[in-house]
Amino acid sequence: QQESDAGPAGPDGLAAVRTVAAEALSAAARLLGADEDETALTHGTTEGVNIVLHGLDWMPGDELVTAELEHPALAQAAAVLEQRRGVIVRRVEFPADASPEQMLNAVEGALSGRTRVVALSHVQYSCGLRMPAREIADAARHAGALVLYDGAQTGGHLRLDMRETGADFYAVSGQKWLLGPSGTGALFVRREAADWLRPLFAPSAERGRGRDLRPYEMTSHSPAALAGFAEAIAISEELGMDAIEERTRTLGDRLREALASVPGVRLTGPSAPETSCGLVSIAVDGLEPQDLAAQLWEESRVAARTVRLPAAVRFSTAHFNDEDDLARAEEAVARAAKRAAAS
């Protein structure tokens, strides 16, 4: 509204936009637990992942380590490097309820002297498996590799500290757990790793709307979206990220326990405290995931999405959910499972 009232090209409008962009950058750095000069604004996690993977100077035969469980955003970017740059992609396998030791051993077993990057989701989207980020980063660094984490399922869900994760690069989105606008996000680039990235675009001060863009930032942003992104982070800070993480974990544990007790329902993700979070995934015997998700919404207005590897329906127990929401989800799943068993 300020930009509209003042005019986007007038001095007052430009000043308002600069203020909004600065606030968003500062908020993003706080969200990541990073310094502002190591933080860039993006349009989402996928953009951040691609800035890194396509900004590195790959040579044929270089190796990238990732996981079979990965979200298509990361998996497809790796496949493009494989096809266009001759990169050898090593896709490690571990179960959706793997222990930290299983995950670490799988990654360590794929590392070699040719490994340039380890690229993984901090939390796997399909099952909620939380990976031992620091331990993996330490192993990768010992092998001379850089580390990229996809944080699509962590920003606004888990408390983040880039020094604790050990990441060289870390991408988050604004529209998921933060409940901010679509088309917002941030990318952490460790100060010592910044020189590894080549810009995919040639940004200018004008495109930055009065703020010098990082060499790896791709384009400018909607001021309204940035304002929403900053506000979403501010709300999370007011609630407290430690409190949000504890709340989502508690609700996730309760939902897992409730759904696991329903006949015909099996958990398809982790349940151990060190590897689980506010994502809960299940499968129902005799019922395809897409049919279960449709029934949950159409009959009970329970929102859940289908995922792959393993094929399942996934729930997100956000901090605004309550015990009544969990009970409604449990009852809806129980009805669907009972019908499936009788058919």
Side-chain angles (χ1 to χ4, degrees), residues 1 3 17 20 181 184 221-230:
Q1 187 64 50
E3 183 188 40
V17 170
V20 167
T184 59
H221 300 258
S222 159
L226 289 185
F229 183 42

Side-chain angles (χ1 to χ4, degrees), residues 79-220:
V80 169
L81 291 177
E82 202 170 29
Q83 296 161 6
R84 297 182 184 176
R85 307 293 295 274
V87 174
I88 298 171
V89 179
R90 300 196 180 280
R91 299 172 176 87
V92 300
E93 296 186 28
F94 40 78
D97 60 350
S99 69
E101 292 76 19
Q102 284 176 296
M103 291 182 272
L104 180 59
N105 289 340
V107 172
E108 284 184 320
L111 296 172
S112 77
R114 296 301 303 272
T115 305
R116 288 285 308 281
V117 175
V118 174
L120 298 164
S121 292
H122 191 168
V123 169
Q124 293 294 336
Y125 88 106
S126 62
C127 55
L129 181 63
R130 185 157 49 94
M131 304 194 70
R134 183 61 197 230
E135 290 80 359
I136 289 173
D138 287 345
R141 187 155 291 118
H142 183 71
L146 297 167
V147 179
L148 163 65
Y149 284 126
D150 176 324
Q153 297 297 336
T154 60
H157 178 188
L158 307 179
R159 185 186 65 81
L160 297 176
D161 185 315
M162 291 299 99
R163 303 305 171 207
E164 289 181 7
T165 67
D168 295 291
F169 313 105
Y170 199 107
V172 294
S173 289
Q175 85 279 11
K176 294 182 181 291
W177 292 87
L178 282 170
L179 311 175
S182 294
T184 59
L187 173 67
F188 165 76
V189 176
R190 188 169 62 89
R191 193 173 294 109
E192 295 80 2
D195 288 343
W196 289 98
L197 291 183
R198 299 184 303 175
L200 300 180
F201 283 64
S204 67
E206 281 88 8
R207 281 168 61 187
R209 305 294 293 277
R211 180 178 66 84
D212 289 338
L213 297 184
R214 308 286 185 268
Y216 39 81
E217 281 186 280
M218 295 176 71
T219 61
S220 56

